[in-house]
Amino acid sequence: MTIKINSLELENVKRIKAVKVEPNQNGLTVIGGRNNQGKTSVLDSIAWALGGNKFKPSNAAREGSTVPPNLNITLSN
């Protein structure tokens, strides 16, 4: 059985202030940007959301933020 990510919402995680990603159901989703724009932060957040606190980044909260990190992932199952 294949499980897909239907939506991913992140707030105050590593370098990300807030982002919402809704991958295309029939294609490839590309996450791009310049250095230090948060691409790895998105991937780390997916690993954290799917793997639990075992995969929580060591510095999960965005620097300078007083609001704790928030992850919301919706899967196809």
Side-chain angles (χ1 to χ4, degrees), residues 11-65:
E11 185 176 5
N12 296 318
V13 179
K14 294 180 73 174
R15 298 198 55 85
I16 299 171
K17 184 172 183 178
V19 69
K20 182 174 183 178
V21 178
E22 293 182 351
N24 187 332
Q25 293 296 322
N26 297 319
L28 175 69
T29 300
V30 177
I31 300 171
R34 295 181 181 191
N35 289 342
N36 294 318
Q37 294 288 305
K39 300 177 298 291
T40 302
S41 298
V42 172
L43 297 176
D44 286 348
S45 298
I46 292 170
W48 181 15
L50 296 177
N53 282 334
K54 179 179 177 182
F55 294 97
K56 181 178 180 178
S58 57
N59 295 323
R62 187 173 64 89
E63 187 176 321
S65 176

Side-chain angles (χ1 to χ4, degrees), residues 3 6-7 16 45 51-52 62 71 76-77:
I3 298 174
N6 289 338
S7 70
I16 299 171
S45 298
R62 187 173 64 89
L71 303 170
S76 62
N77 64 345

